[in-house]
């Protein structure tokens, strides 16, 4: 096909679109309908539409506020057989017009005059649609507004909880499901709309199957009302501390670790053999190790400045081959430099038994922010493999909680006071001191728990708060921005359940 042919086809397509727009506008002007309604009426003249109308498969006349994409979204009109059965005007007027539409479809097959005859036969039905449709549209606008109000009222009554949380599944069923569904049809609709507003996980707790089995003829509204008490209820509660005496009394000594706290071994020894076998991936550290050895060696000879420093791996290997330094020593130096680039830290909890004097507790955390921290109590690893802490603050929080679980309250009485370091009944856990180490300042610190109030069972996620219904928590406070604006700042937002 030539370019000219393509241009001609495009021109004809544009002419057809222009003609359709002109026809729609003419029908809109003549009958006082919207462009969407005019397009709907024009479609009635298409071959086959009369048969579709007689079969009860023709969508109803669109309301005045319908967009073009919703042109065929109204419920289907009654079939010819349904209109005959209903009697009255439907039997004596609408059904015969539908019959003319069927004859009109058949007439489209007559050579030469088929289109003209078919269109003429369909015209009375189209005009009836105009008259009936405009009336329905006017009534439909009022009815639509009332329907929207009723649906919103049902969403507020049955899908929304006291805190404003709305059940997405109940909302979808109220707003989108056909109102005439009953019993098992409701279950089928819910399954067909999974992940389209309906949340499959939420269905597990709403109990539609049990309710509809006991009420097989229940309507959509009755079913929604019947299961609404089962919707997930999420609440917020304060977990603020009970006063100054309830503040955490542990302190932590954080040090870069140059030896494994369990066996005293060097934490970089494991990399030495790899560097000896293949030094190229570790070139920057090999150069640093080589130069450190050269500097110490030549310094011992009282030279005014080092003479054999290098800036590339090849020169370092050449110096090693000449015996200036030993490869094993270079590898050990390189491994230490590499480790110290991101070293492990030991977090040691302590108690102050008198001003300036501390007792180390038999527990510690060991690691860094990259590989995570491992927790140990009495020499035993206590890290939760599903919730490894990847920050120093989180490691301190988890270490404190593990110690509470291990030790209880007895060993940690404060001298001269009645408080205990780990007395959970005295006050809830307070994390402000830990957060303040990295995010100091602000005011009105508080701890907020998000609880699944009606969960069928507890979550056994007590890494932060001993509350089986808790699913998440937030540590928040008020802070001023640089321009003086007050803001609510979230120091930490975390869910042990989802972690």
């Amino acid at each position: 096909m030539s370019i000219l042919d393509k241009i001609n086809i495009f021109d004809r397509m544009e002419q057809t679109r222009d003609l359709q727009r002109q026809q729609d506008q003419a029908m809109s002007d003549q009958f006082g309908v919207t462009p969407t309604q005019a397009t709907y009426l024009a479609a009635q003249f298409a071959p086959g539409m009369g048969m579709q109308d007689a079969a009860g498969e023709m969508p109803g006349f669109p309301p005045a506020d319908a967009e073009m994409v919703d042109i065929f979204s109204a419920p289907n009109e009654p079939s010819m057989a349904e209109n005959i059965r209903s009697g009255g005007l439907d039997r004596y007027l609408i059904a015969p017009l539908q019959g003319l539409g069927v004859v009109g479809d058949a007439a489209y097959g007559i050579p030469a005059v088929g289109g003209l005859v078919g269109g003429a036969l369909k015209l009375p039905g189209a005009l009836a649609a105009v008259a009936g449709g405009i009336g329905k549209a006017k009534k439909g606008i009022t009815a639509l507004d009332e329907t929207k109000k009723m649906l919103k009222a049902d969403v507020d009554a049955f899908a929304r909880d006291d805190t404003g949380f709305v059940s997405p599944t109940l909302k979808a069923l109220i707003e989108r499901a056909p109102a005439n569904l009953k019993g098992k049809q409701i279950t089928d609709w819910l399954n067909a709309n999974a992940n389209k507003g309906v949340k499959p996980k939420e269905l597990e707790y709403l109990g539609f199957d049990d309710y509809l089995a006991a009420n097989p003829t229940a309507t959509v509204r009755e079913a929604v009302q019947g299961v609404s008490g089962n919707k997930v209820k999420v609440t917020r509660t304060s977990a603020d501390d009970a006063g100054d005496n309830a503040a955490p009394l542990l302190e932590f000594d954080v040090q870069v670790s140059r030896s494994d706290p369990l066996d005293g071994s060097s934490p970089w020894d494991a990399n030495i053999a790899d560097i000896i076998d293949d030094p190229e991936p570790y070139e920057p550290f090999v150069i640093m190790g080589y130069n450190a050895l050269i500097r110490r060696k030549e310094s011992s000879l009282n030279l005014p400045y080092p003479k054999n420093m290098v800036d590339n791996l090849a020169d370092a290997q050449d110096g090693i081959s000449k015996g200036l330094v030993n490869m094993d020593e270079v590898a050990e130096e390189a491994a230490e430099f590499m480790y110290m680039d991101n070293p492990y830290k030991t977090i040691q909890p302590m108690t102050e038994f008198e001003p300036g004097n501390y007792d180390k507790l038999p527990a510690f955390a060991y690691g860094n922010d990259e590989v995570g921290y491992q927790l140990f109590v009495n020499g035993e690893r206590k890290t939760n493999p599903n919730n490894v802490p990847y920050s120093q603050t989180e490691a301190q929080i988890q270490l404190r909680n593990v110690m509470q679980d291990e030790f209880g309250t007895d060993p940690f009485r404060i001298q001269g006071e009645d408080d205990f370091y780990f007395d959970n009944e005295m006050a809830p856990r307070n994390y402000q001191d830990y957060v303040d180490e990295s995010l100091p300042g602000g005011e009105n610190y508080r701890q907020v728990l998000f609880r699944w109030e009606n969960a069928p069972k507890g979550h056994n996620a007590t890494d932060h708060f001993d509350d089986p219904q808790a699913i998440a928590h937030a540590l928040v406070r008020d802070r001023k921005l640089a321009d003086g604006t007050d803001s609510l700042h979230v120091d930490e937002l975390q869910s042990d359940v989802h972690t």
Side-chain angles (χ1 to χ4, degrees), residues 430-475:
N430 186 303
Y431 298 115
Q432 181 175 1
D433 284 1
Y434 309 118
V435 177
D436 279 347
E437 291 186 13
S438 56
L439 293 170
E443 58 185 15
N444 193 22
Y445 171 86
R446 57 247 192 231
Q447 304 177 155
V448 180
L449 289 184
F450 298 92
R451 306 178 77 252
W452 182 359
E453 290 290 344
N454 59 338
K457 61 179 181 179
H459 307 290
N460 193 31
T462 58
D463 287 340
H464 289 83
F465 296 97
D466 290 328
D467 186 338
Q469 303 302 104
I471 57 175
H473 72 269
L475 311 180

Side-chain angles (χ1 to χ4, degrees), residues 384 387 394 397-398 401 429 431 461-466 496:
N384 179 353
N387 191 21
E394 181 64 18
I397 291 173
Q398 288 197 26
N401 296 344
R429 293 169 175 171
Y431 298 115
T462 58
D463 287 340
H464 289 83
F465 296 97
D466 290 328
D496 291 327

Side-chain angles (χ1 to χ4, degrees), residues 362-420:
F364 62 89
Y366 181 63
N368 60 27
D369 292 359
E370 181 178 339
V371 302
Y373 290 83
Q374 298 296 313
L375 312 180
F376 296 87
V377 178
N378 286 328
E380 296 183 13
R381 190 189 306 268
K382 297 295 181 179
T383 314
N384 179 353
N386 296 319
N387 191 21
V388 176
Y390 282 91
S391 73
Q392 182 176 311
T393 299
E394 181 64 18
Q396 293 176 0
I397 291 173
Q398 288 197 26
L399 184 58
R400 172 201 167 157
N401 296 344
V402 169
M403 290 170 61
Q404 174 174 302
D405 294 337
E406 288 292 312
F407 300 145
T409 62
D410 292 342
F412 300 103
R413 190 179 184 106
I414 305 175
Q415 185 174 7
E417 298 289 344
D418 294 329
D419 300 336
F420 293 88

Side-chain angles (χ1 to χ4, degrees), residues 57-223:
E57 298 177 357
M58 172 61 66
F61 192 77
D65 60 348
E67 299 291 341
M68 195 64 72
V69 294
D70 299 319
I71 187 171
F72 296 119
S73 61
N76 290 348
E77 294 286 1
S79 67
M80 188 191 311
E82 289 173 328
N83 280 325
I84 291 173
R85 284 196 300 269
S86 67
L89 184 64
D90 291 341
R91 176 173 184 169
Y92 294 108
L93 177 60
I94 305 301
L97 293 178
Q98 289 177 307
L100 283 178
V102 174
V103 176
D105 279 342
Y108 276 113
I110 302 174
V113 297
L116 181 61
V117 174
L121 290 170
K122 288 189 167 198
L123 181 59
L127 292 176
V130 173
I134 293 175
K136 288 181 179 178
K138 291 178 179 178
K139 295 178 182 177
I141 294 173
T142 302
L144 182 62
D145 289 340
E146 292 300 320
T147 300
K148 288 180 178 178
K149 291 178 181 178
M150 289 189 295
L151 293 179
K152 182 181 184 303
D154 280 352
V155 169
D156 291 340
F158 305 130
R160 192 183 306 276
D161 65 17
D162 295 338
T163 63
F165 175 81
V166 176
S167 161
T169 297
L170 294 181
K171 185 175 186 290
L173 187 60
I174 292 169
E175 294 182 342
R176 295 174 45 206
N180 60 348
L181 297 182
K182 290 187 177 182
K184 186 177 181 300
Q185 295 174 330
I186 298 174
T187 303
D188 293 341
W189 187 91
L190 289 168
N191 292 333
N193 287 272
N195 295 317
K196 300 175 185 176
V198 174
K199 304 299 182 183
K201 191 67 177 177
E202 188 184 14
L203 282 178
E204 297 178 16
Y205 300 98
L206 287 173
F208 274 106
D209 290 339
D210 292 340
Y211 180 84
L212 294 172
N215 302 274
T217 61
T219 64
V220 170
R221 191 173 192 275
E222 290 169 343

Side-chain angles (χ1 to χ4, degrees), residues 253-475:
D253 179 41
V254 181
Q255 299 287 341
V256 171
S257 178
R258 299 186 65 86
S259 62
D260 189 302
L262 289 178
D263 59 19
S265 63
S266 170
W268 57 82
D269 282 351
N271 293 322
I272 295 176
D274 292 337
I275 295 173
I276 293 174
D277 291 341
D278 185 10
E280 187 171 349
Y282 312 99
E283 178 174 0
F285 301 106
V286 171
I287 294 171
M288 292 168 64
Y290 178 92
N291 287 336
L293 289 172
I294 290 294
R295 189 180 299 108
R296 286 201 295 269
K297 180 178 180 180
E298 295 184 350
S299 177
S300 65
L301 300 176
N302 294 321
L303 297 178
Y305 56 87
K307 297 190 302 182
N308 294 293
M309 305 286 277
V310 299
D311 59 7
N312 61 78
L313 180 62
D315 288 346
Q317 290 175 318
D318 182 62
I320 292 170
S321 67
K322 293 177 179 178
L324 298 181
V325 290
N326 180 278
M327 182 58 197
D328 290 346
E329 294 176 345
V330 171
E332 184 174 358
E333 291 284 337
E336 182 176 356
F337 277 117
M338 186 167 62
Y339 168 77
M340 293 303 294
D341 188 53
N342 187 20
Y344 288 178
K345 297 176 182 178
T346 300
I347 301 175
Q348 177 65 60
M350 304 182 300
T351 62
E352 187 177 26
F353 60 90
E354 62 181 35
N357 292 321
Y358 294 87
D359 274 340
K360 290 184 178 181
L361 301 178
F364 62 89
Y366 181 63
N368 60 27
D369 292 359
E370 181 178 339
V371 302
Y373 290 83
Q374 298 296 313
L375 312 180
F376 296 87
V377 178
N378 286 328
E380 296 183 13
R381 190 189 306 268
K382 297 295 181 179
T383 314
N384 179 353
N386 296 319
N387 191 21
V388 176
Y390 282 91
S391 73
Q392 182 176 311
T393 299
E394 181 64 18
Q396 293 176 0
I397 291 173
Q398 288 197 26
L399 184 58
R400 172 201 167 157
N401 296 344
V402 169
M403 290 170 61
Q404 174 174 302
D405 294 337
E406 288 292 312
F407 300 145
T409 62
D410 292 342
F412 300 103
R413 190 179 184 106
I414 305 175
Q415 185 174 7
E417 298 289 344
D418 294 329
D419 300 336
F420 293 88
Y421 284 103
F422 299 105
D423 187 350
N424 193 51
E425 296 180 358
M426 178 191 70
R429 293 169 175 171
N430 186 303
Y431 298 115
Q432 181 175 1
D433 284 1
Y434 309 118
V435 177
D436 279 347
E437 291 186 13
S438 56
L439 293 170
E443 58 185 15
N444 193 22
Y445 171 86
R446 57 247 192 231
Q447 304 177 155
V448 180
L449 289 184
F450 298 92
R451 306 178 77 252
W452 182 359
E453 290 290 344
N454 59 338
K457 61 179 181 179
H459 307 290
N460 193 31
T462 58
D463 287 340
H464 289 83
F465 296 97
D466 290 328
D467 186 338
Q469 303 302 104
I471 57 175
H473 72 269
L475 311 180

